[in-house]
Amino acid sequence: MDKAVILARGLGTRMRKADNDAALSKEQAAIAETGIKAMIPIDRPFLDYVMHLLAETGYTKICLVIGPEHAQVRDYYGKGLSYSRISVDFAIQEKPLGTADAVASAEQFANGDPILVINSDNYYPYDALKGLRELGGPGLAGFIREAMVEKGNIPVDRVTKFAVIETDAEGFMTRIIEKPSPEQVAALADPVCLSMNCWRFGPEIFEACKRIQPSSRGELELPDAVLYTMQQMGTRYRAIPVNDACLDMSSRSDIQSVVDFLKGSKVEL
C-alpha cells in the first residue's frame, strides 16, 4: 500500500474568518484570506510537512484533491517542486459537493488499489499513518480522547464535540457517533476514540460514494459512504487506537500552535 489521497478542496470558511487575536505574519494572513489551509506558510507550506510524513511512513504516490480554482496549489506542487521520494497527482473536484464526492474524484488515481484518505488541514502522527498502511484491509485511526486533549492543539470544548467511534469486541467499528452527547460517550468502552478522518479504504468506497444521497446539509458525506459499505457491502473497518494527537489547523487561532510544533522540522519530498 503506497497511495495516499489528501482532501484539499475545502472552502476554508473558518480559516477565512477574521480573528484579531491570532498573531499571523503577513504571508500567513494573506493565505488565510484565500482559505487554502494547506498552503499556510510555516517556512514552507503546511502541506509539505504532511507529505514528508507520508513519505516517512511509506506512502510514495500522493493525490491532491483540489478545485478548479486552486491554481496556486497545482502550480506549487505540479511545477514548483522536484521530488525524490514521492510522486504527486491531482484530482479535480469540480464543485464542493462534500467529502464523499471529493473521495470519488480520486477513483482513477486509486485504480483498484487500497488508499489512505486524510484531510489537508490536519497533521497526523506517525503511528496512525504507519498503522493503517500495515493493516490487511479497511480501517481508520481512532485518536484516544485524553491524548487529543493532553498532547494536541485543539481546545477541550471542540474536542468534546468531535465524532467518536463505537467498536465491537474484536476492535471493528460498528458506528461513528457525530456530535456525541455526554451520555453516549459514557456508554462507550475505554479508551474513547475520536475519528479525525484518517482512513484506509478499498475500492468499494468509490461505488458507495456514488450511491449515497445528500445529507441534510445538502452534501455527499464520507461517513454516509462508509456506512453504506458496512451495511450494503459487508465491509468491516478495524479501528486502530492512537495514543497521540492529531493537530488541527482549521482556523487562524490554530496556526501558531502548529507553527510551534513544526518549526525547524526537516522536509524531504
Side-chain angles (χ1 to χ4, degrees), residues 111-236:
N111 194 30
D113 296 326
I115 56 170
L116 176 82
V117 171
I118 59 174
N119 293 333
S120 66
D121 57 354
N122 290 127
Y123 186 79
Y124 298 93
Y126 182 98
D127 288 348
L129 303 180
K130 187 72 170 178
L132 288 176
R133 185 168 177 263
E134 293 175 348
L135 275 184
L140 75 162
F143 294 89
I144 295 175
R145 207 181 202 190
E146 288 78 6
M148 287 287 291
V149 172
E150 294 171 5
K151 304 177 183 180
N153 71 323
I154 307 171
V156 175
D157 62 328
R158 276 171 58 191
V159 172
T160 57
K161 296 176 183 176
F162 287 171
V164 295
I165 303 165
E166 183 180 75
T167 58
D168 61 20
E170 298 177 87
F172 288 95
M173 181 182 72
T174 55
R175 64 171 174 158
I176 293 179
I177 306 172
E178 303 281 351
K179 295 183 172 63
S181 68
E183 293 76 20
Q184 287 175 311
V185 172
L188 297 174
D190 288 330
V192 175
C193 292
L194 310 178
S195 172
M196 296 296 292
N197 207 36
C198 185
W199 298 90
R200 173 178 171 144
F201 289 126
E204 67 272 13
I205 193 64
F206 297 109
E207 182 67 20
C209 288
K210 297 171 188 174
R211 289 186 174 272
I212 60 171
Q213 297 300 310
S215 68
S216 59
R217 299 194 303 172
E219 296 186 358
L220 298 171
E221 310 270 8
L222 187 55
D224 291 339
V226 170
L227 185 62
Y228 185 96
T229 64
M230 294 170 65
Q231 294 180 341
Q232 305 298 324
M233 300 177 172
T235 304
R236 302 179 78 196

Side-chain angles (χ1 to χ4, degrees), residues 33-177:
E33 287 287 340
T34 70
I36 307 176
K37 295 170 282 189
M39 299 301 290
I40 294 290
I42 305 173
D43 293 332
R44 55 193 302 157
F46 170 70
L47 193 54
D48 284 12
Y49 298 92
V50 175
M51 295 203 298
H52 167 81
L53 191 55
L54 288 173
E56 289 288 292
T57 48
Y59 299 92
T60 59
K61 300 171 185 175
I62 298 173
C63 177
L64 300 180
V65 178
I66 58 175
E69 73 277 17
H70 289 160
Q72 181 182 14
V73 178
R74 190 156 196 168
D75 288 347
Y76 180 81
Y77 288 105
K79 304 173 185 177
L81 291 180
S82 60
Y83 304 100
S84 61
R85 307 174 74 195
I86 61 173
S87 62
V88 176
D89 290 284
F90 300 91
I92 306 300
Q93 184 188 14
E94 293 295 336
K95 297 180 180 179
L97 299 179
T99 49
D101 184 67
V103 171
S105 68
E107 184 174 10
Q108 185 175 353
F109 166 78
N111 194 30
D113 296 326
I115 56 170
L116 176 82
V117 171
I118 59 174
N119 293 333
S120 66
D121 57 354
N122 290 127
Y123 186 79
Y124 298 93
Y126 182 98
D127 288 348
L129 303 180
K130 187 72 170 178
L132 288 176
R133 185 168 177 263
E134 293 175 348
L135 275 184
L140 75 162
F143 294 89
I144 295 175
R145 207 181 202 190
E146 288 78 6
M148 287 287 291
V149 172
E150 294 171 5
K151 304 177 183 180
N153 71 323
I154 307 171
V156 175
D157 62 328
R158 276 171 58 191
V159 172
T160 57
K161 296 176 183 176
F162 287 171
V164 295
I165 303 165
E166 183 180 75
T167 58
D168 61 20
E170 298 177 87
F172 288 95
M173 181 182 72
T174 55
R175 64 171 174 158
I176 293 179
I177 306 172

